[in-house]
Amino acid sequence: MKNLLSNLPLARKFAVIGVIAASMTCLPTWLVIQNDVAALRQARSEQAGVAPASKVLALVRLTQQHRGLSVLELGGNRDMAAPRDAVRGRMDAGMQALLDATGELGDSDLRRQAAALSDTWQDLRDAVGSKQITGAATSARHAPTVAAELALLEDITHDAGIVLNPRRSIYFLQGGVLLHLPQLTESLGQLRARGALLLGQGDASSADRERLKALADVARKQLGDARKHLSLAVADDPQLRARM
């Protein structure tokens, strides 16, 4: 082999060296490209999940507003009918936007969840609009609706890979914004709705006070979890800390 290389013209010797060098760099180069392609796919998947996740968060907020207004209206405050109807209209539009957004993700399970959520909302909306339920009952029926919205939000973050982001700051940021803060807003929403009912009754039993205390304790824990995640998100990211 040595003699063969020695007898080759100089140009061919360089060609052989080039082939050997190329073969040695092919595998590392391929691995780098594969890694970059995977990172790009991950980024695109996460970006695709942002729109439906944002739409679910908007629906959570509207559902909570609808609950508060419904409790007051069904408790005898007729002035709440018009603002509740306005929120109902925004909910209808938001639900359709969510159905469209989950359809674009291409996941049949998410689409089914969104469709089931839409059906649940329509039943609740019609029951409140026709005054078929009491203020206490409407508060109780809104809670599982919000729970279903939060469950769908979590599944969207899993499907899109948002929860799998390898960057420490983004990982903790999404946990605070898409998990703990929405849960906190729901605990506070339930506190407001229960408080409105008790104010309408003009009385609160010891059991009512215990339920309020339990909800407040849950809210305090969720606030602590959200603060922890957001603190960890900005700890090693000065740019994110400045923006927040």
Side-chain angles (χ1 to χ4, degrees), residues 13-14 19 46 62 106 118 149 161 166 186 199 213 219 224 228:
K13 287 180 181 179
F14 279 113
V19 170
E46 291 182 31
L62 289 170
S118 179
E149 291 167 347
E186 174 53 11
L199 287 173
K213 181 181 181 302
K228 181 176 181 179

Side-chain angles (χ1 to χ4, degrees), residues 126-176:
D126 295 344
V128 173
S130 60
K131 309 293 190 297
Q132 295 176 356
I133 54 178
T134 63
T138 191
S139 179
R141 285 186 60 175
H142 276 78
T145 303
V146 175
E149 291 167 347
L150 293 178
L152 176 58
L153 174 63
E154 184 177 4
D155 288 345
I156 288 172
T157 64
H158 291 167
D159 180 77
I162 297 175
V163 296
L164 304 176
N165 194 292
R167 285 181 57 190
R168 172 187 171 93
S169 59
I170 301 302
Y171 174 81
F172 285 112
L173 178 63
Q174 64 82 24

Side-chain angles (χ1 to χ4, degrees), residues 154-215:
E154 184 177 4
D155 288 345
I156 288 172
T157 64
H158 291 167
D159 180 77
I162 297 175
V163 296
L164 304 176
N165 194 292
R167 285 181 57 190
R168 172 187 171 93
S169 59
I170 301 302
Y171 174 81
F172 285 112
L173 178 63
Q174 64 82 24
V177 172
L178 297 177
L179 178 63
H180 298 297
L181 283 178
Q183 291 176 347
L184 171 61
T185 66
E186 174 53 11
S187 294
L188 295 176
Q190 290 186 29
L191 276 168
R192 286 193 300 272
R194 192 171 294 277
L197 284 171
L198 295 178
L199 287 173
Q201 295 171 7
D203 184 36
S205 66
S206 58
D208 290 329
R209 296 175 187 275
E210 283 300 317
R211 282 194 289 269
L212 287 176
K213 181 181 181 302
L215 275 172

Side-chain angles (χ1 to χ4, degrees), residues 11 20 26 29 45 53-54 65 77 85 96 103 113 119 144 146 160 163 183 187 189 204 208 213 225:
I20 294 173
C26 276
T29 302
S45 178
S54 299
Q65 292 175 2
N77 190 339
D85 195 55
Q96 183 58 53
Q113 279 182 261
D119 291 341
V146 175
V163 296
Q183 291 176 347
S187 294
D208 290 329
K213 181 181 181 302
D225 291 338

Side-chain angles (χ1 to χ4, degrees), residues 15-241:
V16 171
I17 292 172
V19 170
I20 294 173
S23 348
M24 292 175 64
T25 58
C26 276
L27 180 58
T29 302
W30 180 80
L31 291 174
V32 169
I33 292 174
Q34 286 292 100
N35 185 64
D36 289 345
V37 169
L40 180 59
R41 286 175 179 167
Q42 171 73 12
R44 286 177 174 172
S45 178
E46 291 182 31
Q47 182 65 31
V50 169
S54 299
K55 286 175 172 56
V56 176
L57 286 173
L59 284 177
V60 169
R61 183 173 65 254
L62 289 170
T63 306
Q64 292 165 342
Q65 292 175 2
H66 187 269
R67 172 175 53 200
L69 294 168
S70 298
V71 168
L72 293 171
E73 181 188 355
L74 295 173
N77 190 339
R78 296 182 179 179
D79 292 340
M80 296 297 104
R84 181 198 58 78
D85 195 55
V87 171
R88 176 201 58 76
R90 291 198 293 273
M91 273 289 296
D92 287 342
M95 196 64 71
Q96 183 58 53
L98 175 63
L99 289 171
D100 295 339
T102 51
E104 291 173 3
L105 285 177
D107 187 294
S108 57
D109 288 336
L110 293 179
R111 175 72 181 184
R112 280 194 294 269
Q113 279 182 261
L117 180 60
S118 179
D119 291 341
T120 299
W121 157 245
Q122 290 176 26
D123 291 341
L124 176 57
R125 173 200 67 191
D126 295 344
V128 173
S130 60
K131 309 293 190 297
Q132 295 176 356
I133 54 178
T134 63
T138 191
S139 179
R141 285 186 60 175
H142 276 78
T145 303
V146 175
E149 291 167 347
L150 293 178
L152 176 58
L153 174 63
E154 184 177 4
D155 288 345
I156 288 172
T157 64
H158 291 167
D159 180 77
I162 297 175
V163 296
L164 304 176
N165 194 292
R167 285 181 57 190
R168 172 187 171 93
S169 59
I170 301 302
Y171 174 81
F172 285 112
L173 178 63
Q174 64 82 24
V177 172
L178 297 177
L179 178 63
H180 298 297
L181 283 178
Q183 291 176 347
L184 171 61
T185 66
E186 174 53 11
S187 294
L188 295 176
Q190 290 186 29
L191 276 168
R192 286 193 300 272
R194 192 171 294 277
L197 284 171
L198 295 178
L199 287 173
Q201 295 171 7
D203 184 36
S205 66
S206 58
D208 290 329
R209 296 175 187 275
E210 283 300 317
R211 282 194 289 269
L212 287 176
K213 181 181 181 302
L215 275 172
D217 290 341
V218 170
R220 289 191 190 96
K221 181 183 183 305
Q222 292 166 340
L223 176 60
D225 291 338
R227 280 177 169 168
K228 181 176 181 179
H229 272 69
L230 295 179
S231 296
L232 289 170
V234 302
D236 300 324
D237 194 330
Q239 185 178 7
L240 179 60
R241 181 165 60 248

